[in-house]
Amino acid sequence: MADLLRTLTERLAEGRDLDVAADLDVELDGVPLHVEAYTDLVVVTLPSLSLGRRLVGHHGDRSADVAALLDAADLTAEVRVGPRPVARLGADVTPGPLERRLGLGSIRLVPRGLLLAALLD
């Protein structure tokens, strides 16, 4: 993952455009994810909040790097648990007071989505 982030960052620094088109079912650390993108919005769907927390536990230190990369590529990612949005990161995202206090960079949490996902987890 670190190599991928570094390569993409280097290519963006060289002025290369990044186009994203995806409809993928992937697995990261044993967690199934669905990734879909046809515009400048990349949607990552997780099956449950607990599995999302597990991923953040393993890769949370890279979330600011991913958000910065998305911002540099003029892309926005929406993370969903099932159909509920729980976070947005990257371009066109303005962090709120909570995110700024937590030092999350270009990440915006969706408290209502997080609460509903937690209740249904």
Side-chain angles (χ1 to χ4, degrees):
M1 178 108 159
D3 291 337
L4 174 63
L5 291 174
R6 186 174 37 259
T7 301
L8 290 173
T9 302
E10 289 169 359
R11 289 184 182 213
L12 288 170
E14 295 169 359
R16 296 185 185 180
D17 289 335
L18 182 64
D19 292 323
V20 177
D23 188 0
L24 303 168
D25 289 311
V26 296
E27 192 172 291
L28 179 62
D29 293 340
V31 177
L33 307 169
H34 183 77
V35 180
E36 190 171 356
Y38 300 106
T39 63
D40 58 352
L41 178 66
V42 179
V43 178
V44 179
T45 304
L46 301 162
S48 71
L49 188 60
S50 58
L51 290 174
R53 283 193 309 258
R54 190 170 92 194
L55 283 178
V56 169
H58 289 152
H59 302 285
D61 57 332
R62 293 189 184 112
S63 61
D65 295 336
V66 172
L69 175 64
L70 289 165
D71 194 25
D74 201 26
L75 297 171
T76 302
E78 180 173 272
V79 180
R80 296 179 182 171
V81 174
R84 289 166 290 290
V86 296
R88 287 179 77 95
L89 55 151
D92 300 325
V93 174
T94 304
L98 174 63
E99 294 85 356
R100 285 192 298 273
R101 182 170 287 227
L102 294 173
L104 295 178
S106 297
I107 297 175
R108 181 71 184 226
L109 301 174
V110 182
R112 183 180 201 171
L114 285 167
L115 179 60
L116 287 170
L119 290 172
L120 299 173
D121 200 18

Tab-separated table of all heavy atoms in Angstrom, residues 87-115:
chain	number	residue	atom	x	y	z
A	87	ALA	N	-18.017	8.395	5.941
A	87	ALA	CA	-16.913	9.358	5.843
A	87	ALA	C	-16.688	9.740	4.390
A	87	ALA	O	-17.022	8.985	3.477
A	87	ALA	CB	-15.632	8.762	6.420
A	88	ARG	N	-16.138	10.943	4.199
A	88	ARG	CA	-15.693	11.410	2.877
A	88	ARG	C	-14.278	11.927	3.060
A	88	ARG	O	-13.958	12.506	4.093
A	88	ARG	CB	-16.601	12.511	2.350
A	88	ARG	CG	-17.953	11.980	1.891
A	88	ARG	CD	-18.831	13.111	1.386
A	88	ARG	NE	-18.473	13.564	0.060
A	88	ARG	CZ	-19.048	13.135	-1.069
A	88	ARG	NH1	-20.000	12.247	-1.017
A	88	ARG	NH2	-18.676	13.614	-2.234
A	89	LEU	N	-13.462	11.738	2.044
A	89	LEU	CA	-12.101	12.234	2.119
A	89	LEU	C	-11.598	12.638	0.751
A	89	LEU	O	-12.110	12.176	-0.261
A	89	LEU	CB	-11.161	11.200	2.754
A	89	LEU	CG	-11.081	9.813	2.159
A	89	LEU	CD1	-9.700	9.228	2.400
A	89	LEU	CD2	-12.092	8.899	2.837
A	90	GLY	N	-10.620	13.543	0.756
A	90	GLY	CA	-10.026	13.993	-0.492
A	90	GLY	C	-10.509	15.365	-0.910
A	90	GLY	O	-10.815	16.227	-0.089
A	91	ALA	N	-10.582	15.559	-2.233
A	91	ALA	CA	-10.978	16.851	-2.801
A	91	ALA	C	-12.425	17.177	-2.414
A	91	ALA	O	-13.226	16.287	-2.150
A	91	ALA	CB	-10.843	16.806	-4.318
A	92	ASP	N	-12.739	18.440	-2.380
A	92	ASP	CA	-14.095	18.909	-2.080
A	92	ASP	C	-14.578	18.500	-0.693
A	92	ASP	O	-15.782	18.418	-0.451
A	92	ASP	CB	-15.102	18.435	-3.142
A	92	ASP	CG	-14.758	18.926	-4.526
A	92	ASP	OD1	-14.250	20.064	-4.633
A	92	ASP	OD2	-14.976	18.185	-5.497
A	93	VAL	N	-13.656	18.210	0.216
A	93	VAL	CA	-14.033	17.839	1.579
A	93	VAL	C	-13.485	18.896	2.532
A	93	VAL	O	-12.292	19.218	2.501
A	93	VAL	CB	-13.486	16.449	1.966
A	93	VAL	CG1	-13.757	16.148	3.434
A	93	VAL	CG2	-14.111	15.378	1.085
A	94	THR	N	-14.367	19.454	3.335
A	94	THR	CA	-13.959	20.416	4.348
A	94	THR	C	-14.115	19.763	5.711
A	94	THR	O	-15.228	19.441	6.119
A	94	THR	CB	-14.841	21.685	4.276
A	94	THR	OG1	-14.764	22.218	2.956
A	94	THR	CG2	-14.382	22.713	5.284
A	95	PRO	N	-12.995	19.534	6.405
A	95	PRO	CA	-13.096	18.919	7.722
A	95	PRO	C	-13.829	19.829	8.701
A	95	PRO	O	-13.707	21.051	8.633
A	95	PRO	CB	-11.644	18.715	8.161
A	95	PRO	CG	-10.783	19.188	7.060
A	95	PRO	CD	-11.634	19.818	6.016
A	96	GLY	N	-14.587	19.219	9.588
A	96	GLY	CA	-15.277	19.967	10.624
A	96	GLY	C	-14.404	20.097	11.856
A	96	GLY	O	-13.252	19.648	11.871
A	97	PRO	N	-14.947	20.673	12.924
A	97	PRO	CA	-14.163	20.873	14.149
A	97	PRO	C	-13.635	19.562	14.740
A	97	PRO	O	-12.495	19.507	15.193
A	97	PRO	CB	-15.150	21.539	15.111
A	97	PRO	CG	-16.251	22.053	14.264
A	97	PRO	CD	-16.285	21.244	13.019
A	98	LEU	N	-14.447	18.510	14.713
A	98	LEU	CA	-14.012	17.217	15.261
A	98	LEU	C	-12.833	16.669	14.468
A	98	LEU	O	-11.826	16.240	15.044
A	98	LEU	CB	-15.170	16.217	15.247
A	98	LEU	CG	-14.821	14.782	15.660
A	98	LEU	CD1	-14.343	14.749	17.107
A	98	LEU	CD2	-16.012	13.872	15.451
A	99	GLU	N	-12.940	16.701	13.158
A	99	GLU	CA	-11.875	16.170	12.307
A	99	GLU	C	-10.585	16.982	12.453
A	99	GLU	O	-9.485	16.413	12.485
A	99	GLU	CB	-12.320	16.155	10.838
A	99	GLU	CG	-13.446	15.192	10.558
A	99	GLU	CD	-14.840	15.772	10.831
A	99	GLU	OE1	-14.957	16.910	11.305
A	99	GLU	OE2	-15.815	15.068	10.563
A	100	ARG	N	-10.726	18.303	12.568
A	100	ARG	CA	-9.536	19.144	12.763
A	100	ARG	C	-8.887	18.836	14.106
A	100	ARG	O	-7.665	18.739	14.206
A	100	ARG	CB	-9.901	20.626	12.664
A	100	ARG	CG	-10.154	21.075	11.227
A	100	ARG	CD	-10.223	22.589	11.108
A	100	ARG	NE	-11.304	23.187	11.873
A	100	ARG	CZ	-12.542	23.356	11.438
A	100	ARG	NH1	-12.881	22.978	10.219
A	100	ARG	NH2	-13.462	23.921	12.192
A	101	ARG	N	-9.693	18.666	15.127
A	101	ARG	CA	-9.153	18.353	16.459
A	101	ARG	C	-8.436	17.009	16.462
A	101	ARG	O	-7.423	16.836	17.129
A	101	ARG	CB	-10.276	18.350	17.491
A	101	ARG	CG	-9.773	18.081	18.909
A	101	ARG	CD	-10.852	18.319	19.883
A	101	ARG	NE	-11.035	19.755	19.981
A	101	ARG	CZ	-11.132	20.415	21.117
A	101	ARG	NH1	-11.090	19.771	22.241
A	101	ARG	NH2	-11.288	21.713	21.113
A	102	LEU	N	-8.971	16.060	15.698
A	102	LEU	CA	-8.351	14.736	15.618
A	102	LEU	C	-7.193	14.691	14.624
A	102	LEU	O	-6.504	13.680	14.520
A	102	LEU	CB	-9.406	13.685	15.225
A	102	LEU	CG	-10.512	13.437	16.236
A	102	LEU	CD1	-11.572	12.507	15.648
A	102	LEU	CD2	-9.942	12.855	17.522
A	103	GLY	N	-6.989	15.789	13.883
A	103	GLY	CA	-5.896	15.850	12.920
A	103	GLY	C	-6.082	14.905	11.745
A	103	GLY	O	-5.132	14.305	11.257
A	104	LEU	N	-7.320	14.791	11.252
A	104	LEU	CA	-7.626	13.836	10.198
A	104	LEU	C	-7.367	14.359	8.790
A	104	LEU	O	-7.584	13.642	7.827
A	104	LEU	CB	-9.085	13.378	10.316
A	104	LEU	CG	-9.427	12.585	11.577
A	104	LEU	CD1	-10.903	12.237	11.595
A	104	LEU	CD2	-8.572	11.346	11.697
A	105	GLY	N	-6.930	15.593	8.636
A	105	GLY	CA	-6.664	16.119	7.300
A	105	GLY	C	-7.952	16.330	6.535
A	105	GLY	O	-8.952	16.789	7.086
A	106	SER	N	-7.952	15.974	5.249
A	106	SER	CA	-9.119	16.179	4.383
A	106	SER	C	-10.120	15.038	4.525
A	106	SER	O	-10.481	14.377	3.556
A	106	SER	CB	-8.670	16.297	2.923
A	106	SER	OG	-7.853	17.407	2.753
A	107	ILE	N	-10.544	14.813	5.749
A	107	ILE	CA	-11.519	13.756	6.037
A	107	ILE	C	-12.699	14.387	6.758
A	107	ILE	O	-12.527	15.220	7.648
A	107	ILE	CB	-10.903	12.639	6.909
A	107	ILE	CG1	-9.755	11.963	6.162
A	107	ILE	CG2	-11.957	11.620	7.323
A	107	ILE	CD1	-8.994	10.939	6.972
A	108	ARG	N	-13.907	14.000	6.359
A	108	ARG	CA	-15.125	14.478	7.020
A	108	ARG	C	-15.941	13.266	7.429
A	108	ARG	O	-16.333	12.446	6.586
A	108	ARG	CB	-15.935	15.361	6.062
A	108	ARG	CG	-17.204	15.932	6.645
A	108	ARG	CD	-16.853	17.001	7.680
A	108	ARG	NE	-18.043	17.510	8.323
A	108	ARG	CZ	-18.282	18.782	8.509
A	108	ARG	NH1	-17.419	19.691	8.118
A	108	ARG	NH2	-19.368	19.165	9.101
A	109	LEU	N	-16.158	13.103	8.722
A	109	LEU	CA	-16.978	12.008	9.224
A	109	LEU	C	-18.449	12.334	9.044
A	109	LEU	O	-18.839	13.501	9.037
A	109	LEU	CB	-16.673	11.754	10.704
A	109	LEU	CG	-15.224	11.396	11.029
A	109	LEU	CD1	-15.023	11.308	12.536
A	109	LEU	CD2	-14.816	10.102	10.350
A	110	VAL	N	-19.270	11.310	8.912
A	110	VAL	CA	-20.723	11.467	8.807
A	110	VAL	C	-21.309	10.825	10.069
A	110	VAL	O	-21.559	9.620	10.110
A	110	VAL	CB	-21.278	10.788	7.528
A	110	VAL	CG1	-22.778	11.006	7.421
A	110	VAL	CG2	-20.559	11.306	6.296
A	111	PRO	N	-21.471	11.630	11.140
A	111	PRO	CA	-21.884	11.070	12.431
A	111	PRO	C	-23.167	10.246	12.365
A	111	PRO	O	-23.259	9.180	12.979
A	111	PRO	CB	-22.064	12.303	13.321
A	111	PRO	CG	-21.179	13.337	12.708
A	111	PRO	CD	-21.224	13.067	11.228
A	112	ARG	N	-24.144	10.726	11.621
A	112	ARG	CA	-25.410	9.989	11.529
A	112	ARG	C	-25.190	8.601	10.908
A	112	ARG	O	-25.722	7.606	11.378
A	112	ARG	CB	-26.416	10.787	10.712
A	112	ARG	CG	-27.748	10.160	10.621
A	112	ARG	CD	-28.662	11.009	9.795
A	112	ARG	NE	-30.043	10.692	10.092
A	112	ARG	CZ	-31.053	11.354	9.664
A	112	ARG	NH1	-30.872	12.427	8.927
A	112	ARG	NH2	-32.272	10.995	9.965
A	113	GLY	N	-24.400	8.547	9.846
A	113	GLY	CA	-24.096	7.281	9.194
A	113	GLY	C	-23.318	6.359	10.120
A	113	GLY	O	-23.564	5.154	10.177
A	114	LEU	N	-22.359	6.930	10.856
A	114	LEU	CA	-21.577	6.135	11.815
A	114	LEU	C	-22.465	5.559	12.912
A	114	LEU	O	-22.348	4.391	13.269
A	114	LEU	CB	-20.465	6.990	12.434
A	114	LEU	CG	-19.275	7.275	11.543
A	114	LEU	CD1	-18.416	8.389	12.143
A	114	LEU	CD2	-18.450	6.004	11.356
A	115	LEU	N	-23.375	6.389	13.409
A	115	LEU	CA	-24.282	5.925	14.466
A	115	LEU	C	-25.198	4.812	13.963
A	115	LEU	O	-25.343	3.777	14.619
A	115	LEU	CB	-25.117	7.095	14.991
A	115	LEU	CG	-26.122	6.759	16.087
A	115	LEU	CD1	-25.421	6.187	17.303
A	115	LEU	CD2	-26.937	7.988	16.457
